Amino acid sequence: MTTFDERERAFENKFQHDQDLLFRIRARRNRLAGLWAADLLGLTGADADAYARQIIDADVGASGPHDIRDRLAADLHARGIDISDHRVEKELAHLLDVARQQVHQE
């Protein structure tokens, strides 16, 4: 195997590792966001976990970057909770940092 082939394989491995890490961080952020929204919705225990799982699943099938924000805001508004999209987006940004720290500590 040539040096070029080795470098190419190393770059491919790094890219795959980075993509896996980003996926895990985003899934963790979505779980944390689901639990945060579940708390605001008054859900606890298994209901909160089920709601968080719905948020994770919604992101896997989502096509746009704001689908989770929109879903959370819509669910909160449907229950009469007055919260802005900006506030939801700020919480998602905060939870992304928390998720990144948690995944890197694993």
Side-chain angles (χ1 to χ4, degrees):
M1 183 178 288
T2 66
T3 303
F4 179 76
D5 292 336
E6 290 172 0
R7 285 183 52 147
E8 182 179 19
R9 187 172 312 251
F11 281 122
E12 288 172 357
N13 288 340
K14 182 179 181 341
F15 178 79
Q16 183 179 4
H17 177 277
D18 290 348
Q19 291 302 306
D20 178 59
L21 194 60
L22 289 173
F23 176 81
R24 289 177 37 220
I25 290 169
R26 188 173 172 122
R28 177 75 54 94
R29 189 265 330 244
N30 292 340
R31 177 170 167 40
L32 294 171
L35 292 174
W36 169 76
D39 183 51
L40 293 175
L41 293 168
L43 302 174
T44 59
D47 291 335
D49 288 335
Y51 181 77
R53 188 67 176 136
Q54 288 176 7
I55 297 301
I56 293 169
D57 292 343
D59 188 41
V60 172
S63 60
H66 299 294
D67 290 338
I68 295 303
R69 181 202 63 199
D70 295 343
R71 164 76 189 270
L72 292 172
D75 290 351
L76 292 168
H77 290 294
R79 286 279 185 96
I81 298 170
D82 186 28
I83 191 166
S84 68
D85 288 351
H86 182 276
R87 175 67 180 110
V88 174
E89 198 163 318
K90 281 190 70 138
E91 188 64 27
L92 287 172
H94 168 71
L95 293 174
L96 183 63
D97 291 337
V98 172
R100 185 176 291 117
Q101 291 172 359
Q102 288 179 358
V103 168
H104 284 296
Q105 289 176 354
E106 292 178 346

